[in-house]
Each structure stands twice: as C-alpha cells, then as structure tokens.
Amino acid sequence: MPPECQLFGTLGCHLCEVAEALLMPFVEHGLLVELIDIADREEWVERYGLRIPVLRRCDTGAELDWPFDAERVVDFLR
C-alpha cells in the first residue's frame, strides 16, 4: 500500500499542473494525494513558495522537490 502524500502548489502554477498530471497514473493505482494550496497559509508560502510543486509523504514527512519524473516518484514512495 503506497503512503498517503500531499502535493504543495498553488493555482495558476504551470509546473504544479504538470506535477498533478504526472501523479495521475499513481492515483489511479491507489496513491492518495491531497492537493495543498500554499496560498492558504503564510507559513506554507514561506516554506514552499520558491520550491513548488513539492510532493510530501505524510508518514515520514520526506519531501520531493520539483523537478521529478515517474521514476523518481517510484523511488520516493519506496
């Protein structure tokens, strides 16, 4: 069972849209990904504003910064 994840991004972010599309096959195979808009909290803007999109594992807190591809996501989820 893959770990639950969060994808930090924001509306209008082209790279965030690319990351979402890249993650869709994983979601279709059972990965749970919560989309987090960093604009909702100032602390998220400060932490992730220059790094988005960022994929974060909920179980370990590990983060995968952009750019990433499917192979890096597979390794990250192991």
Side-chain angles (χ1 to χ4, degrees), residues 3-77:
E4 291 184 24
C5 293
Q6 298 170 313
L7 181 63
F8 288 87
T10 197
L11 293 174
C13 169
H14 170 71
L15 294 177
C16 299
E17 293 169 4
V18 172
E20 285 181 45
L22 184 137
L23 292 172
M24 282 309 298
F26 294 94
V27 170
E28 291 168 359
H29 286 92
L31 179 66
L32 297 175
V33 179
E34 178 184 11
L35 301 178
I36 305 289
D37 189 336
I38 64 168
D40 290 346
R41 289 193 181 169
E42 183 62 32
E43 63 201 63
W44 290 339
V45 171
E46 291 174 15
R47 182 171 181 175
Y48 297 108
L50 299 176
R51 298 172 47 205
I52 59 172
V54 175
L55 185 63
R56 180 182 177 277
R57 288 180 58 142
C58 294
D59 60 347
T60 65
E63 296 179 343
L64 180 62
D65 287 5
W66 189 260
F68 49 80
D69 57 16
E71 184 177 326
R72 287 197 62 208
V73 171
V74 168
D75 290 342
F76 178 70
L77 296 176

